[in-house]
Amino acid sequence: MSQTITATPTAGTPSPDSPSTGKRTAPASAADRAVKRRRVLDILDAEGRDSLLLTTHTALTWYLDGSRVHISLAGDPIAALLVDREGDHLVTFNNEAGRIAAEELPAGVSLHSVPWYGNLHEAAAAVGQASRAGAGSPLAESAVTAGLRAARQQLLPGESARYAQLSAEMAGIMTDVLSAARPETTEFGLVSALAARVVAVGAEPLVLLCNGSSRSDFRHPLATHAPLGRRAMAVICARRDGLVANLTRWVRFDAGTPEELDAEARIAAVEADIFDATVPGARLDRVFDEIKAAYARHGFGAEQWEQHHQGGPAGYAGRDPRVTASATDSVVTNQPFTWNPSGPGVKVEDTVQLTESGVKVLTLDDRWPATTVNGLLRPVTLQL
């Protein structure tokens, strides 16, 4: 049995946390949420159904427009949401309901609670059945995965602004922390400094990676006690208000070898080719074909793409989805991407948005050294 909670949430603002009071209000934009609701109702119309149950972090944070629905970063959401033709019904546990009502609930969403030991999905389905005589079971999110992914491809004005701000802050954090690094700094020391800064701006560090020169062969390098040595890579994937910003940066403490400098230039050229292929209407599997061709074109070998995933659309998931030969989604304007081509000892990664005027880099800090590649400013290795 669920209990309905009456709450009067504060309308969303661009900055949900108030520095003066420390209080958080739901970041949701009423205008953006109305568009998202219409997109979901269109899915229901296409499926001939009356309700849809949203249960994943990606779908929930997108539809609620930035609400936090987690406790453990490694755990399941602590809420489920039923979208029906009468309204939106968010169900959470009784020990979470007060905070959700005060800090995360968008206007126009009814909140229901179940005991902490209850079943969120069953309770959310029951809410719909209780409100509509003869209502059947809701459509499962897994049945319309592709439709929901298409619905969240094109970022709306409010979320575009929040994403740009998060991305710029993450780029600035990377500049600050790597500028203070030294050869004797350990990988754990570096990622702990990154983590402190990420959390301090209200974001959640989903992925923090680092490899010093002794571990440069690893492309997903979880940190160790090893010192950075002469050269290092750092990666941040951070989430705030549901949106995930991703970037990679390199630092070195010498002039670099000719081989390294050459590989860095060539991987930037691979990325430039990927950006050229990321145009409205392009299918992701065709972009993937261009990625594979770019590696061969720039001297990395035809099989280099097999050594690491290549990224893909971004936004409310780290990759939404990772690009593969089976990804047939079409690219749209205002869609975010994080491509991450890599080769032996080199990798480039930024969060970008495809605008009407082309690719716009969001994870940008003017203080970081950069060079122009195919008309776009791209980061180079920070040399200290």
Side-chain angles (χ1 to χ4, degrees), residues 224-265:
T224 71
H225 288 292
L228 300 184
R230 54 173 294 272
R231 182 172 180 261
M233 177 186 78
V235 177
I236 294 176
C237 302
R239 181 176 66 192
R240 188 170 67 199
D241 301 329
L243 292 159
V244 183
N246 317 283
L247 72 157
T248 294
R249 294 291 184 267
W250 290 82
V251 61
R252 64 169 157 247
F253 305 97
D254 60 20
T257 68
E259 293 77 14
E260 288 168 352
L261 298 175
D262 175 65
E264 289 169 4

Side-chain angles (χ1 to χ4, degrees), residues 277 282-291 323-325 327-329:
R283 266 183 23 177
L284 290 182
D285 55 346
R286 300 293 183 258
V287 177
F288 189 52
D289 288 341
E290 286 300 313
I291 292 172
V323 67
T324 65
T328 58
D329 302 15

Side-chain angles (χ1 to χ4, degrees), residues 245-321:
N246 317 283
L247 72 157
T248 294
R249 294 291 184 267
W250 290 82
V251 61
R252 64 169 157 247
F253 305 97
D254 60 20
T257 68
E259 293 77 14
E260 288 168 352
L261 298 175
D262 175 65
E264 289 169 4
R266 288 186 292 114
I267 203 65
V270 171
E271 184 197 50
D273 288 353
I274 301 173
F275 286 156
D276 281 347
T278 308
V279 296
R283 266 183 23 177
L284 290 182
D285 55 346
R286 300 293 183 258
V287 177
F288 189 52
D289 288 341
E290 286 300 313
I291 292 172
K292 292 187 285 186
Y295 278 107
R297 187 181 303 128
H298 297 290
F300 285 101
E303 309 304 319
Q304 189 58 228
W305 63 272
E306 296 187 30
Q307 305 307 310
H308 191 56
H309 80 84
Q310 302 303 306
Y316 288 89
R319 303 296 189 277
D320 195 19

